[in-house]
Amino acid sequence: MALIVGVAIGVGIFETPSLVAANVESAFGALFVWFLGGAMSLIGAMCYAELATAYPHVGGNYHYLMRAFGKNWAFLFAWARMTVIQTGSIALLAFVFGDYISQLWRLGDYSPSIYAAGVIVILTIVNIVGIQQGKSTQKWLTVATILGLVLVIVAGLVFTPPPVVSAAPTSQGNFGLAMVFVLLSYGGWNEAAYISADLQNTKRNMVRSLLWSIGIITVIYLLINIAYITGLGLSGMAQQEAVAASLMRRAFGELGAVFISLLVAVATLGGINATIFTGARSNYALGQDFALFSFMGDWRNRSSTLTKAMLAQGAITLFLVLLGTVTRKGFETMVDYTAPVFWFFFLLSGVSLLVLRVREPHVFRPFRVPFYPLTPILFCLICGYLLYSSLAYTGVGALAGVAVVLAGVLLLPISRQR
């Protein structure tokens, strides 16, 4: 439970509520989509729990897709993870850092982008140099995130004066896009579900762990959105670049905004650093499996870092920061860029559960998804709807993400599995 909550609750919750508010028509609608996001996440987590316990493997989705659909689909997933999903996540987090650190010291019109690019370069160099990854540091950064959430909740519910309600409509009433942003904030349980293979009494504990952890996350997200709505109003939320800083400014003045901006910026560093660290390793695995990317599979000295994989990842991420700068708001563009690809491969993972149940019926499954096949079919329908929404309601970033994956299709004939 602690691991799932710790992985799922990230700094995105300090950014996405304002985007959700801009795409719903009422405060009740905003809270409803956050509740619905928790229910959808639980359905998906149960599907992933079966895959993770039946096929425990460090490759996660890569391994499931390889078993269900073959090496070509596994390659496309690895390609998408390198060029869209993982690098897009780094850029997305970097824009959160840029938005909040700009509340402390603004560097002109492109301040968030400048900070985003700078932190990517610095942390990539840090990882190439090989500075020891500190578990305690990551834990304290997680604590900083939780502390920030608690402070914002208390500020919104207790210390903020009633907001000035704007008569002008601020919402597009776009339910599908609102759900894209909501489920971005719930993301992470799919990574945490991989630990299910290590549970004792898996069948008895799995559902209980998932119910409690996702229930806790849902309650926290509902509370922080109630705090935002109470302190800023729905229209006020929709207009904010750094919604937590704006709320703290109303509650405690400029000192409150400075404090929360610093806290969020520090917490974001942990997420960026961890994503850079793990992303380079998945790129290394791609280089090990496919000759076309063998340059990233070079790790002669196991005590050193993956320099080539890090540099490739950093270069792609900096290009995405540029994309976010020239299109529209950086964070929102990165959501556009990653969402269609993410939900497409999520959909394939759900289908792989159905395929592997039929193809490998004798594999021992410590945890079986309840109400099979209805639950995985519902999960696939959810993924299909989010895939449609992320294509229909987003901008240029979505087209760029899809184009990059299609470029991977062109590489299939020359990829050659090693």
Side-chain angles (χ1 to χ4, degrees):
M1 283 169 52
L3 284 170
I4 293 172
V5 171
V7 169
I9 295 182
V11 294
I13 189 58
F14 293 107
E15 191 91 11
T16 53
S18 61
L19 300 173
V20 174
N23 288 283
V24 295
E25 297 179 345
S26 66
F28 174 80
L31 296 178
F32 175 73
V33 296
W34 284 99
F35 173 80
L36 191 60
M40 290 181 174
S41 297
L42 180 61
I43 292 169
M46 287 190 291
C47 294
Y48 262 69
E50 174 169 327
L51 289 169
T53 52
Y55 305 99
H57 191 278
V58 294
N61 288 52
Y62 179 83
H63 182 64
Y64 312 148
L65 296 177
M66 178 76 79
R67 292 185 75 112
F69 306 114
K71 67 176 184 178
N72 286 346
W73 285 104
F75 169 80
L76 281 179
F77 173 74
W79 164 259
R81 183 172 169 84
M82 178 181 72
T83 58
V84 179
I85 299 172
Q86 197 78 359
T87 46
S89 296
I90 296 169
L92 185 150
L93 289 169
F95 276 119
V96 177
F97 175 82
D99 284 340
Y100 275 89
I101 206 70
S102 294
Q103 299 289 314
L104 305 178
W105 189 7
R106 194 162 187 87
L107 302 176
D109 294 338
Y110 298 104
S111 181
S113 298
I114 295 170
Y115 280 119
V119 76
I120 290 166
V121 170
I122 291 170
L123 290 180
T124 297
I125 292 172
V126 165
N127 279 277
I128 288 174
V129 171
I131 293 177
Q132 182 66 31
Q133 304 293 318
K135 291 182 180 179
S136 60
T137 301
Q138 292 294 331
K139 288 177 182 177
W140 280 111
L141 291 171
T142 301
V143 169
T145 305
I146 301 298
L147 176 61
L149 287 170
V150 172
L151 287 173
V152 171
I153 290 170
V154 173
L157 296 180
V158 179
F159 295 103
T160 308
V164 177
V165 179
S166 172
T170 59
S171 172
Q172 305 166 12
N174 196 327
F175 175 80
L177 187 55
M179 289 307 306
V180 170
F181 292 124
V182 165
L183 287 166
L184 170 72
S185 296
Y186 277 98
W189 54 260
N190 55 304
E191 302 288 340
Y194 298 161
I195 65 166
S196 58
D198 298 318
L199 282 177
Q200 295 181 353
N201 301 317
T202 305
K203 187 174 182 179
R204 181 172 65 90
N205 288 330
M206 177 52 62
V207 173
R208 184 166 59 182
S209 297
L210 290 171
L211 281 171
W212 276 100
S213 57
I214 293 180
I216 290 168
I217 295 164
T218 304
V219 169
I220 292 174
Y221 284 179
L222 286 172
L223 284 174
I224 195 166
N225 277 278
I226 291 171
Y228 286 141
I229 292 168
T230 302
L232 297 171
L234 192 68
S235 60
M237 288 174 64
Q239 298 166 14
Q240 304 305 319
E241 185 179 72
V243 63
S246 299
L247 180 65
M248 293 293 285
R249 184 177 287 112
R250 290 202 77 228
F252 303 114
E254 198 60 36
L255 184 62
V258 168
F259 179 76
I260 197 67
S261 296
L262 183 60
L263 196 65
V264 174
V266 170
T268 308
L269 289 176
I272 298 170
N273 190 58
T275 311
I276 288 174
F277 185 79
T278 57
R281 274 142 184 78
S282 63
N283 293 345
Y284 167 75
L286 179 64
Q288 286 284 294
D289 287 348
F290 292 93
L292 181 63
F293 298 101
S294 59
F295 69 95
M296 293 192 300
D298 182 17
W299 195 359
R300 294 190 183 92
N301 182 359
R302 289 306 178 110
S303 65
S304 67
T305 54
L306 304 168
T307 301
K308 294 178 181 178
M310 289 277 184
L311 290 174
Q313 176 178 263
I316 294 169
T317 309
L318 287 174
F319 175 78
L320 296 182
V321 171
L322 178 62
L323 174 66
T325 303
V326 300
T327 52
R328 53 183 185 181
K329 291 184 179 180
F331 178 87
E332 194 171 349
T333 300
M334 285 304 98
V335 175
D336 292 354
Y337 180 74
T338 58
V341 179
F342 175 83
W343 286 110
F344 174 73
F345 284 105
F346 238 34
L347 173 59
L348 278 188
S349 297
V351 174
S352 72
L353 189 155
L354 296 166
V355 170
L356 292 171
R357 273 279 191 114
V358 174
R359 184 178 295 170
E360 302 178 3
H362 302 299
V363 170
F364 175 61
R365 291 170 168 81
F367 173 79
R368 288 176 172 265
V369 64
F371 308 113
Y372 180 89
L374 296 179
T375 303
I377 289 174
L378 179 57
F379 175 59
C380 291
L381 290 175
I382 291 170
C383 292
Y385 176 72
L386 269 296
L387 173 60
Y388 163 77
S389 297
S390 58
L391 287 170
Y393 303 129
T394 51
V396 176
L399 297 177
V402 172
V404 170
V405 174
L406 291 178
V409 176
L410 300 178
L411 294 175
L412 281 172
I414 59 173
S415 61
R416 288 187 296 113
Q417 192 171 20
R418 296 174 76 178

